[in-house]
Amino acid sequence: TFVVGEDCINCKHTDCVEVCPVDCFYEGPNFLVIHPDECIDCALCEPECPIDAIFSEDELPEDQQVFLELNAELAEVWPCITEMKDAMPDAEEWKGKPNKLALLER
Ligand code: SF4
Ligand code: F3S
């Protein structure tokens, strides 16, 4: 599966959702996730993210392993998103900021 990582929090550019052939992105207030049981590993979304927030499971950084479980958990409760929309208003400001996990809204 592919996994949305920490950099997406408070940025949420949503370019990724447009290319997914199986519509397996799910959206929360300031982050979105991939449903691990629905993702077919096509890898199309990874290069679409302008801030490189998406990883294949195998390449997910050690300090972001918690996002595996978070993607699985939140994909069960958040609504599906298939169309791109505006990024979060302060996306540029939040780009690459560390320790954003604490800011995740559910
Ligand atoms: Fe969708 Fe393919 Fe990305 Fe999986 S790897 S979330 S199937 S675009
Ligand atoms: Fe997030 Fe990148 Fe998609 S910032 S919403 S993973 S395009």
Side-chain angles (χ1 to χ4, degrees):
T1 188
F2 278 65
V3 182
V4 184
E6 186 165 28
D7 280 339
C8 182
I9 296 172
N10 279 359
C11 291
K12 202 168 72 170
H13 286 277
T14 72
D15 305 60
C16 54
V17 309
E18 287 272 338
V19 298
C20 182
V22 295
D23 295 344
C24 66
F25 281 93
Y26 295 82
E27 184 191 19
N30 66 346
F31 182 52
L32 58 68
V33 294
I34 293 168
H35 197 309
D37 298 337
E38 296 173 359
C39 175
I40 58 171
D41 281 331
C42 72
L44 288 175
C45 57
E46 188 180 8
E48 291 302 313
C49 179
I51 56 171
D52 297 329
I54 301 178
F55 299 90
S56 78
E57 183 177 6
D58 303 340
E59 292 170 353
L60 186 67
E62 204 50 51
D63 61 355
Q64 293 197 48
Q65 290 296 315
V66 65
F67 281 86
L68 258 181
E69 190 53 41
L70 270 177
N71 275 244
E73 177 193 335
L74 297 170
E76 291 288 341
V77 293
W78 283 347
C80 189
I81 173 172
T82 58
E83 284 175 21
M84 191 176 171
K85 58 187 199 179
D86 289 345
M88 298 205 62
D90 298 323
E92 282 310 312
E93 193 180 311
W94 284 105
K95 180 181 174 181
K97 289 261 169 75
N99 306 319
K100 292 201 283 184
L101 179 54
L103 306 170
L104 176 64
E105 296 170 32
R106 286 162 180 263

